[in-house]
Amino acid sequence: MEPLVDTVLEDPRWGETGLPDLAETAARACLAELGLPADGFALCVMGCDDARIAVLNADFRGKPQPTNVLSWPSDERGAETPGASPARPEPGPPDDPEVLGDIAIAYETCRDEAIAGGKAMADHVRHLIVHGVLHLLGYDHTCDEDADLMEGLEVRILARLGVANPY
């Protein structure tokens, strides 16, 4: 079985959290919930620090401060109707999987949010990876209808992973 997620550890503290395994498991759970085959897709997760994600957030969103997770879909997959599910991407062959995009996750912000929320770091990381993968698949939370759809999916996917409802 080929890995679905290529994990890049830019900040070595992510190695202590088991980010590669957490990202792989969370991404596979997302695709399984949506009935998509993991072996037809690929994505990249970069574990970085707050300084790096602040630069990325400034460059791509015009917000020069750290955030917990950012995602860059490889294609526009969003639904045109609020609250509707996006079109499902077509998987590629196992030797040339369809690339869904990239995700960056910031260590300090993630750690601090987990502590403030009384959550295990691993559970919070799983949630943020699920959130990021859903963005790569075209889900969003820009309006209430889209947020309800995305949050409902997150709750179901996290339940598959044994993680309590974060909302």
Side-chain angles (χ1 to χ4, degrees), residues 50-51 53-54 57 63-68 106 109:
D50 274 10
I53 213 161
N57 204 18
K63 297 179 179 185
Q65 67 263 356
T67 189
N68 51 17
T109 297

Side-chain angles (χ1 to χ4, degrees), residues 114-138:
I115 291 168
K119 302 172 184 175
M121 176 78 161
D123 288 350
H124 191 49
V125 169
R126 285 182 190 100
H127 178 207
L128 293 175
I129 297 297
V130 165
H131 187 85
V133 171
L134 288 176
H135 276 308
L136 298 183
L137 293 167

Side-chain angles (χ1 to χ4, degrees), residues 1 6 12 19 23 29-30 39-41 43 61 66 68 76 87 91 93 96-97 106 108 115 117 121 136 144 156:
M1 174 173 60
D6 177 21
L19 180 60
C30 286
D39 62 356
F41 297 101
L43 62 112
R61 298 178 64 224
N68 51 17
E76 174 54 50
D96 188 23
E108 295 94 335
I115 291 168
M121 176 78 161
L136 298 183
D144 289 344
R156 287 197 309 273

